[in-house]
Amino acid sequence: MSLSILDWTVIGAYFLFNLGIGLYYARRARGSTSEFFLSGRNVPWWLAGTSMVATTFAADTPLAVTGFVAKNGIAGNWLWWHFVMSGMLTVFLYARLWRRAGVMTDIEFAELRYSGKPAAFLRGFRALYLGLPINCIILGWVNLAMVKILEITLGVNKRGAIMIVIGMLLFTAFYTAISGLWGVLVTDLFQFALKMGMVIVLAILAVNAVGGIDGLKSQIGAMDAAAGGGSRLAFFPEYDSAWMPAITLFVYLGVIWWSTWYPGAEPGGGGYVAQRIFSAKNEKHGLLATLWFHIAHYALRPWPWILTALASLILYPTLVDKESGYIKTLLDPNVFPTYLRGFMLAAFAAAYMSTIGTQLNWGASYVINDFYRRFIQRESSEKHYVIASQVVTVLLMIASLIVTFYMESIGGAWKLLLVTGAGTGTVLLLRWFWWRINAWSEVSAMICAAVVSIFLQVVLKWDSDRPVDFAYLMIVTVGITTVVWIAVTMFTQPEPIDKLVAFYRRVRPEGPGWNGIAARAGLSEAHAEGRLSLQIFNWILGCALIYGSLFGIGKLIFKEWGTGLLFLAIAIVAGVLISRNLSRGEMTAETLRLEHAEESV
């Protein structure tokens, strides 16, 4: 693809605008590590939530969705849509608790909740494990995806594409290192607006190129009839289909979302989602940020990708690499006007840089706050830690480049790492609601999940690429891991009462699992249990809100007016009830806070 002066002007203006944002916030970021990693805990909900959405909109995400749709139709997106239930748990049960914890990272939580050497080990190990190898694999994966996109769009060889990516990575690392989280958040806002706007434009143009929605539906229907299979326009998998057998569908909808650790969808929240909650102004802003993130992430953002993917199947039916169909639509002058290519390339750069910026800042927060500051250099000035954070940001950038060069050999390891998180989710969820869980619970869950999943794959040759094998792999790993960590919990000493009382006073976890600790703290739990029930009800309503919006918008796009309006009505009712319940919850929380204050006196 040849670029005009207009294209280069647009791309140049994009990079200059991002640089300006980074320079604007550079002075504020130098103030302290709290400013560098958490923006002084003063971020409004709409900015924190939009930043989460921008982070999960990587350069390769539209291509991945295109692959899902090409292979298994719209229903192929259930491979990630099932995480709605986990996300709603984070919104209504955990966002407030994370904000009350007052920690800088979710890794630091280990020594807030637990005590002694096991807690210190857990914090240090997870900081290095997640901050370095896992983070660098994610960075390397995103780098490689951008290399492939540049090869297709600019027509350069792999070496040339890598050089361009190195330049983009250096640029992103620079403004991230000087501006901290404020720079990441504000550039995320700008980048999300740009890339979302362009994918909507592309979707409209691609659908028009195949005769509008009616033309798309009829041509996809003809393709389905010729293939003798199910409908690619179906929103749900066919019962016991080859790619989603009943046992696999059960595992996705009934097991994975609560039992498995996955970057960006950790049970109970974690990673950059937790970081944005910590940075929010208060508990309410933290909750609203995560709610807005999940609405935009699941209900609003997928449809432009899906429509372009369906159109690409019609436009390029013989294309072997179906994922590249997304890129081919924007290169096709009969679909996408040449004068918009500069904007689209800037949008892809935005998708790449928003993810890279977050991963660099988040990974550095683990290394500095939870390892370097905790175990290596405990007493230094804030200036020293900020400079160290900037150095680690640059080192992570270099490490990610090295990983990119070897990504073909690491791809199998990445798949292995995803499965090794199976079974750890239960302890991550229950550690907030059951006082008896200790540091050894988490340690044993991590070790057991890794050992069992590796044994099943390496020794017994269960292949996670085969749907049935994957289902049984998850069920067995989750079952054994859960039994092991519960047994370890019961056969090891609980955390000291003083530690539990201090944690309870600070975080105020709810439910009967803390009644004994509440009594020792001299505080009442009468209202807290009722509030927990209210939030569980909000979780159910939240799932209805997301799925109702997702399916309602989709049905209206495909001109199924009655069904679409019904789904949207469900979403609206759920939203109204959530708003009312949150107001009730705030009044209950304020009453409980006053009672706690009186009882403490």
Side-chain angles (χ1 to χ4, degrees), residues 427-583:
V427 70
L428 296 179
L429 293 173
L430 294 178
R431 64 186 180 176
W432 295 91
F433 295 106
W434 186 24
W435 70 274
R436 188 61 179 80
I437 290 177
N438 57 35
W440 291 116
S441 307
E442 285 199 42
V443 172
S444 62
M446 290 171 57
I447 295 173
C448 183
V451 170
V452 172
S453 62
I454 291 173
F455 174 81
L456 293 175
Q457 293 176 91
V458 175
V459 178
L460 299 186
K461 305 298 182 182
W462 291 13
D463 188 354
S464 60
D465 284 336
R466 293 200 295 262
V468 174
D469 278 13
F470 172 78
Y472 285 112
L473 177 64
M474 297 300 297
I475 291 172
V476 172
T477 304
V478 169
I480 294 176
T481 300
T482 302
V483 170
V484 167
W485 79 253
I486 291 176
V488 168
T489 300
M490 302 312 296
F491 284 105
T492 53
Q493 292 294 318
E495 298 299 331
I497 292 298
D498 291 346
K499 184 73 175 180
L500 294 172
V501 168
F503 174 78
Y504 179 81
R505 287 182 177 275
R506 181 167 178 170
V507 179
R508 303 190 304 281
E510 301 150 350
W514 287 94
N515 283 347
I517 303 302
R520 285 180 175 270
L523 301 174
S524 171
E525 275 292 279
H527 294 288
E529 290 186 29
R531 188 164 178 268
L532 179 60
S533 300
L534 181 65
Q535 299 309 341
I536 292 174
F537 182 47
N538 282 338
W539 166 66
I540 297 171
L541 292 173
C543 293
L545 169 64
I546 300 296
Y547 285 128
S549 300
L550 172 65
F551 301 141
I553 293 171
K555 290 295 183 181
L556 291 181
I557 287 173
F558 289 109
K559 299 184 178 182
E560 298 178 31
W561 309 114
T563 308
L565 291 174
L566 176 61
F567 275 122
L568 286 183
I570 292 172
I572 291 171
V573 171
V576 170
L577 291 175
I578 288 171
S579 178
R580 187 191 68 177
N581 291 343
L582 288 178
S583 299

Side-chain angles (χ1 to χ4, degrees), residues 290-432:
T290 49
L291 180 59
W292 161 237
F293 161 55
H294 287 94
I295 291 173
H297 180 62
Y298 291 105
L300 304 179
R301 198 177 61 184
W303 287 113
W305 300 338
I306 292 171
L307 291 171
T308 303
L310 290 168
S312 72
L313 295 178
I314 300 169
L315 293 168
Y316 322 110
T318 61
L319 192 64
V320 176
D321 181 6
K322 297 298 184 183
E323 287 188 359
S324 66
Y326 193 91
I327 302 296
K328 202 165 179 62
T329 57
L330 68 92
L331 295 177
D332 190 339
N334 296 319
V335 177
F336 196 73
T338 55
Y339 61 83
L340 288 178
R341 285 180 178 174
F343 291 94
M344 183 57 79
L345 285 176
F348 270 108
Y352 169 78
M353 291 164 60
S354 61
T355 302
I356 291 292
T358 286
Q359 294 296 143
L360 290 174
N361 184 269
W362 164 70
S365 72
Y366 282 2
V367 175
I368 294 299
N369 185 68
D370 299 301
F371 185 76
Y372 180 75
R373 189 171 193 166
R374 171 63 178 84
F375 299 103
I376 306 298
Q377 189 72 26
R378 303 196 65 170
E379 300 294 336
S380 286
S381 65
E382 284 297 306
K383 182 178 180 180
H384 170 85
Y385 292 122
V386 171
I387 293 173
S389 302
Q390 294 171 332
V391 171
V392 169
T393 300
V394 175
L395 292 177
L396 282 172
M397 175 205 70
I398 296 171
S400 74
L401 284 174
I402 296 172
V403 170
T404 303
F405 282 106
Y406 294 95
M407 183 52 72
E408 290 184 5
S409 64
I410 293 175
W414 174 235
K415 182 182 71 175
L416 194 65
L417 287 172
L418 291 179
V419 182
T420 56
T424 59
T426 48
V427 70
L428 296 179
L429 293 173
L430 294 178
R431 64 186 180 176
W432 295 91

Side-chain angles (χ1 to χ4, degrees), residues 23-40:
L23 293 173
Y24 179 83
Y25 286 102
R27 184 175 181 180
R28 184 181 294 191
R30 292 195 295 267
S32 66
T33 51
S34 177
E35 283 289 349
F36 190 86
F37 291 127
L38 297 180
S39 300

